[in-house]
């Protein structure tokens, strides 16, 4: 979307999701923005069209700066914890330990799922590339 002043706008949940993926994969801002432009799995997860042009990488640092400046980073964590509790990934207890066996097992399962998704994305990108060469 383009607001009246011409600066592009991205949905906050998109930026939050991309920030998490960026952290998980150890990507700098520019590579994270390129990944959203080029990876089918990320476009699917963000509900974007395949032809979506993506966004400028500087939006990510602006988003993080606004979160920290407004002291709103806890809102993102609170929303994630609420979702994790709702899905049964975290139980109601006094203290949550990140080294707990069940949390590590869930992280491993999610990591494996992300690897499968990345493999499917590479396969689909290869297929699209092959079809593009075959059609021309």
């Amino acid at each position: 979307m383009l607001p009246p002043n011409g600066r592009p706008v991205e949905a906050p949940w998109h930026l939050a999701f991309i920030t998490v993926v960026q952290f998980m994969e150890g990507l700098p801002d520019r590579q994270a923005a390129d990944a959203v432009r080029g990876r089918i799995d990320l476009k699917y997860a963000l509900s974007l069209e395949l032809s979506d042009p993506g966004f400028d990488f500087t939006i990510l640092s602006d988003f993080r700066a606004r979160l920290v400046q407004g002291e709103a980073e806890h809102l993102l964590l609170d929303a994630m914890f609420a979702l994790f509790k709702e899905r049964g990934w975290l139980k109601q207890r006094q203290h949550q330990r990140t080294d707990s066996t069940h949390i590590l097992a869930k992280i491993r399962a999610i990591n494996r799922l992300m690897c499968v998704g990345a493999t499917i994305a590479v396969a689909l990108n290869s297929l699209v590339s092959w079809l593009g060469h075959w059609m021309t």
Side-chain angles (χ1 to χ4, degrees):
M1 286 193 304
L2 213 55
N5 68 358
R7 185 174 172 127
V9 174
E10 282 294 321
W13 76 269
H14 281 187
L15 297 173
F17 178 82
I18 294 164
T19 300
V20 171
V21 170
Q22 181 181 11
F23 175 76
M24 288 174 49
E25 296 186 5
L27 301 174
D29 290 347
R30 189 180 301 265
Q31 287 179 359
D34 289 343
V36 171
R37 267 191 288 285
R39 287 178 42 186
I40 293 173
D41 59 332
L42 292 179
K43 287 187 183 235
Y44 178 77
L46 294 167
S47 303
L48 299 174
E49 296 290 327
L50 289 176
S51 60
D52 189 279
F55 58 89
D56 186 72
F57 71 95
T58 58
I59 292 175
L60 289 171
S61 61
D62 292 344
F63 173 70
R64 288 191 306 272
R66 284 194 319 267
L67 275 178
V68 171
Q69 185 179 28
E71 298 178 0
E73 62 273 9
H74 64 83
L75 296 176
L76 181 58
L77 278 175
D78 291 345
M80 288 173 54
F81 282 137
L83 177 66
F84 295 167
K85 287 177 184 176
E86 176 185 310
R87 301 258 170 109
W89 298 342
L90 293 176
K91 305 286 187 234
Q92 290 287 353
R93 294 188 186 154
Q94 294 286 359
H95 300 282
Q96 290 290 333
R97 293 184 48 179
T98 57
D99 63 341
S100 296
T101 307
H102 68 281
I103 292 177
L104 292 175
K106 290 291 182 183
I107 291 171
R108 280 190 209 98
I110 290 170
N111 187 36
R112 287 185 188 119
L113 186 60
M114 292 294 290
C115 288
V116 169
T119 302
I120 291 171
V122 168
L124 288 173
N125 284 332
S126 297
L127 181 61
V128 167
S129 176
W130 179 80
L131 285 174
H133 292 318
W134 185 73
M135 300 282 280
T136 57

